[in-house]
Amino acid sequence: MNTSAPALSGLARRLVHDGLLDSDLASQAQAQAARDRVPFVQHVVTHQILDASTVARVAADEFGTPVFDLDSLSTTAIPTKLVDQKLIQKHHTLPLMKRGNRLFLAVADPTNLHALDEIKFNTGLNTDPILVEADKLAAAIERYVNAQEESIGDTLGGLDDDALDGLETEGGEPEAPKDEGKEEDEAPIVRFINKILLDAIKGGASDIHFEPYEKAYRVRFRTDGILQEVAKPPINLATRLAARLKVMSQMDISERRVPQDGRIKMKISKSRAIDFRVNTLPTLFGEKVVLRILDPSSAKMGIDALGYEDYQKQLYMDALEQPQGMILVTGPTGSGKTVSLYTGLNILNTSERNISTAEDPVEINLEGINQVQVNTRVGLTFAESLRSFLRQDPDVVMVGEIRDLETAEIAIKAAQTGHLVLSTLHTNSAPETLTRLLNMGVPAFNVATSVSLIIAQRLARRLCKSCKKPATDIPDAVLSEEGFDEIGIPRSELELYHPVGCAQCTNGYKGRVGVYEVVRITPTIASLIMEGGNSLQIAKAAKEAGFNNLRISALRKAAQGLTSLEEANRVTKD
């Protein structure tokens, strides 16, 4: 096997030649940038190896082109809809202007010809690079993306009560026309449902609960993991509200005795749609209806947006680069496991790989990946899907959940025979995941040799940047008792805050941040598994290997001012 370092690119070679970079450091930076799938210049500037102005000056001299000052360009002057936003973020470039059939693109590295070629292919325009400073380019891209998201928000805000007439359901068919005699009576119900759906999307909710009780009816949103009541319609509307939601999701409105599942698809614009997964449940006083909001953009956030610490991110990326093995993501329902898996699949999703997934249900459609909806009623189980995948020449397989020994054994076999397998289990920590597999009946040798990485995770509410206040009232003794002496951050550098609450957030929190325990199966941990070690022994070995547990990771997020100590305790303290 050839282990020599890859040849340096033109700009990296020039930086070494000018004495600005050591050749070994340049090789390492170039290799790491390739692994992270970011441009070399972006990596060098982001990791403060060199400042952006120095790199731009060298690039200008090397390629004989002046540096354009992006600060002089208004975001509103940037042409929109010419280049897909995903391409802009993928290649770290920005369209500046269009003249005839030529598109001028801001780039920090003129040698990134792949970016120019892909954008040329997608737009049908000839592309010309304009050299800019990397830090200014990153800021300009962020402003551009934010402006596009605000535009989508304006579109939502401008939708009126009739915006969802002709709503598309999973089958793509518009709703059946109403009986004229009932249309007037149903109009208030239609307006109410429409408003609830739009408010939920604009408020960033993940779930909507329509709940009938004996003397009351309530609607609740789950926002940042917490349920909050948003409306109390009259109880006599319970049946009509459930019927309306069932019509929208193509369910049988005459059947109220058994649970039903359906989907609603809502187009926000020509390029963006939101899916709702709908479930009804017969309760004592009527049908409870819960809608899970599935936003495809959440699956394409990128690994940097998930909240991994640098070493945790690197462990995940290294495991994804392996040709075989098993990566397990674990945590309770609503802890973000699906987004972590989809992020990994998006990194792996190239034309060179055959990727298949078995899911229950398929929450978000991913182009280029073969997704299978598990259906136990017809015998299409996780195990049966996995057997079929192995006859379809796969490179990567994702199993939505390992629920039984049969599925576990087939997944283990796939991981041992040259396939990369991703899956989930419902356990509380990484060490407990290993003991769960052993308790299922999987032989210890198979667990030790096939599992390569385990990610346990939770989602903590993120403090609102606008109103959080410094927590200077926490005594040192309390900090020690909570465990801050173990997190590796000096007491003088702690940035603890309390939530306050303002018009921009909910009770002092806005959004969520991931808290992770990422454990690689080291030889020591593998030996413990073979010897029948319990979860406490494995947890001790993981800690000695430098893998932070969930508690330490949550305290570090609090120490960095991302969340509060109260929230860290809520998601991780027993």
Side-chain angles (χ1 to χ4, degrees):
M1 183 174 67
N2 183 14
T3 58
S4 60
L8 294 176
S9 66
L11 190 53
R13 189 169 57 247
R14 175 61 186 267
L15 291 169
V16 171
H17 179 270
D18 287 0
L20 297 170
L21 266 186
D22 175 79
S23 59
D24 290 339
L25 180 58
S27 295
Q28 292 171 12
Q30 185 172 281
Q32 187 61 49
R35 282 195 292 271
D36 292 346
R37 300 192 178 187
V38 299
F40 169 75
V41 172
Q42 182 185 349
H43 176 84
V44 168
V45 173
T46 301
H47 289 79
Q48 299 180 346
I49 299 173
L50 288 173
D51 64 86
S53 59
T54 298
V55 177
R57 174 177 54 77
V58 172
D61 186 48
E62 173 74 7
F63 301 106
T65 180
V67 179
F68 178 75
D69 184 10
L70 268 179
D71 286 344
S72 64
L73 182 71
S74 169
T75 305
T76 57
I78 297 173
T80 59
K81 300 180 181 178
L82 279 178
V83 181
D84 188 272
Q85 185 173 309
K86 289 184 287 187
L87 284 178
I88 290 174
Q89 293 175 303
K90 174 184 176 181
H91 293 302
H92 202 62
T93 184
L94 194 65
L96 294 180
M97 67 188 80
K98 175 178 174 288
R99 289 183 182 170
N101 69 337
R102 307 198 74 80
L103 181 63
F104 295 88
L105 296 168
V107 297
D109 184 357
T111 64
N112 189 5
L113 300 179
H114 176 62
L116 301 176
D117 290 341
E118 187 169 353
I119 292 173
K120 178 180 178 180
F121 177 80
N122 277 270
T123 62
L125 301 171
N126 293 319
T127 52
D128 290 326
I130 302 293
L131 182 62
V132 298
E133 294 175 41
D135 55 349
K136 293 183 179 180
L137 177 57
I141 290 174
E142 184 177 359
R143 290 196 302 271
Y144 174 83
V145 171
N146 289 340
Q148 297 306 300
E149 290 178 351
E150 287 174 9
S151 174
I152 291 174
D154 292 341
T155 302
L156 280 176
L159 292 175
D160 58 21
D161 294 333
D162 299 323
L164 301 185
D165 290 347
L167 191 69
E168 286 190 12
T169 56
E170 188 177 32
E173 296 295 330
E175 296 177 38
K178 302 181 184 69
D179 186 20
E180 286 187 14
K182 293 184 178 180
E183 189 169 357
E184 186 175 342
D185 291 339
E186 293 301 314
I189 300 293
V190 172
R191 285 198 298 271
F192 177 77
I193 296 289
N194 291 354
K195 184 177 187 306
I196 289 294
L197 297 184
L198 294 175
D199 286 350
I201 296 170
K202 289 188 281 187
S206 60
D207 302 85
I208 311 172
H209 293 241
F210 292 84
E211 302 169 305
Y213 297 96
E214 184 177 10
K215 297 180 180 179
Y217 192 98
R218 69 178 177 181
V219 181
R220 292 190 291 173
F221 292 168
R222 187 178 294 279
T223 305
D224 297 335
I226 304 295
L227 278 169
Q228 293 183 319
E229 186 176 297
V230 295
K232 294 189 73 170
I235 184 62
N236 63 334
L237 296 180
T239 304
R240 292 165 66 189
L241 288 169
R244 168 66 180 170
L245 289 166
K246 288 164 75 174
V247 167
M248 293 168 71
S249 48
Q250 290 190 328
M251 296 181 191
D252 182 356
I253 61 172
S254 65
E255 179 56 77
R256 302 176 185 173
R257 299 163 299 173
V258 297
Q260 295 188 63
D261 293 293
R263 291 179 85 101
I264 299 171
K265 187 183 184 76
M266 185 175 81
K267 282 191 174 181
I268 294 173
S269 64
K270 290 183 178 179
S271 60
R272 187 183 178 203
I274 301 290
D275 281 339
F276 297 83
R277 194 179 78 218
V278 188
N279 175 265
T280 66
L281 178 69
T283 67
L284 194 58
F285 301 107
E287 288 182 287
K288 175 177 178 177
V289 186
V290 176
L291 289 76
R292 167 65 59 90
I293 302 174
L294 307 174
D295 186 352
S297 64
S298 66
K300 301 178 181 178
M301 294 167 56
I303 194 167
D304 291 324
L306 298 185
Y308 286 98
E309 296 195 31
D310 287 342
Y311 87 93
Q312 293 176 330
K313 168 189 163 186
Q314 193 57 54
L315 286 171
Y316 192 16
M317 295 294 292
D318 289 345
L320 290 171
E321 288 179 4
Q322 299 303 312
Q324 66 185 52
M326 180 180 287
I327 300 172
L328 295 172
V329 183
T330 181
T333 300
S335 60
K337 299 188 298 295
T338 300
V339 173
S340 286
L341 284 176
Y342 280 180
T343 299
L345 290 176
N346 274 317
I347 292 172
L348 295 169
N349 188 13
T350 63
S351 59
E352 295 86 14
R353 292 188 179 95
N354 177 21
I355 303 176
S356 296
T357 74
E359 304 172 62
D360 184 20
V362 175
E363 294 194 356
I364 297 173
N365 297 328
L366 299 175
E367 187 175 349
I369 293 177
N370 309 292
Q371 296 174 273
V372 173
Q373 170 75 53
V374 169
N375 187 345
T376 54
R377 286 178 297 180
V378 298
L380 186 58
T381 61
F382 282 121
E384 193 58 39
S385 300
L386 195 45
R387 279 197 196 91
S388 181
F389 291 166
L390 297 180
R391 296 191 289 269
Q392 294 246 325
D393 184 32
D395 296 298
V396 180
V397 169
M398 194 271 273
V399 185
E401 184 183 349
I402 294 178
R403 296 176 178 171
D404 51 51
L405 177 59
E406 183 183 19
T407 306
E409 287 180 334
I410 302 170
I412 291 281
K413 177 183 176 183
Q416 291 175 330
T417 55
H419 308 93
L420 183 62
V421 179
L422 289 78
S423 190
T424 72
L425 275 89
H426 282 94
T427 55
N428 291 326
S429 67
E432 289 178 31
T433 302
L434 294 168
T435 55
R436 173 67 61 82
L437 289 173
L438 295 173
N439 292 338
M440 278 185 180
V442 180
F445 175 79
N446 286 344
V447 175
T449 57
S450 59
V451 178
S452 54
L453 190 77
I454 303 175
I455 301 172
Q457 65 181 79
R458 302 289 188 276
L459 289 177
R461 289 180 292 170
R462 188 186 291 269
L463 282 165
C464 174
K465 295 179 181 178
S466 301
C467 66
K468 65 180 181 180
K469 69 173 183 179
T472 56
D473 57 343
I474 305 177
D476 285 347
V478 173
L479 294 177
S480 297
E481 183 181 338
E482 293 287 356
F484 281 95
D485 295 334
E486 302 178 39
I487 67 173
I489 298 178
R491 191 66 63 85
S492 59
E493 296 179 16
L494 298 183
E495 296 183 17
L496 296 169
Y497 292 88
H498 286 311
V500 178
C502 65
Q504 322 236 339
C505 66
T506 304
N507 299 326
Y509 298 99
K510 186 175 183 180
R512 288 193 281 182
V513 61
V515 175
Y516 302 94
E517 176 184 20
V518 182
V519 175
R520 179 171 53 82
I521 306 304
T522 64
T524 301
I525 295 176
S527 297
L528 274 174
I529 297 170
M530 296 285 291
E531 294 165 5
N534 59 36
S535 59
L536 293 177
Q537 293 171 314
I538 295 171
K540 182 181 177 182
K543 184 176 180 180
E544 290 172 351
F547 305 131
N548 290 338
N549 60 26
L550 283 167
R551 177 65 180 167
I552 296 297
S553 295
L555 291 178
R556 285 182 62 86
K557 290 290 190 296
Q560 294 160 7
L562 297 174
T563 191
S564 65
L565 176 57
E566 299 94 321
E567 186 67 5
N569 286 338
R570 184 183 73 84
V571 298
T572 64
K573 200 166 187 178
D574 296 332

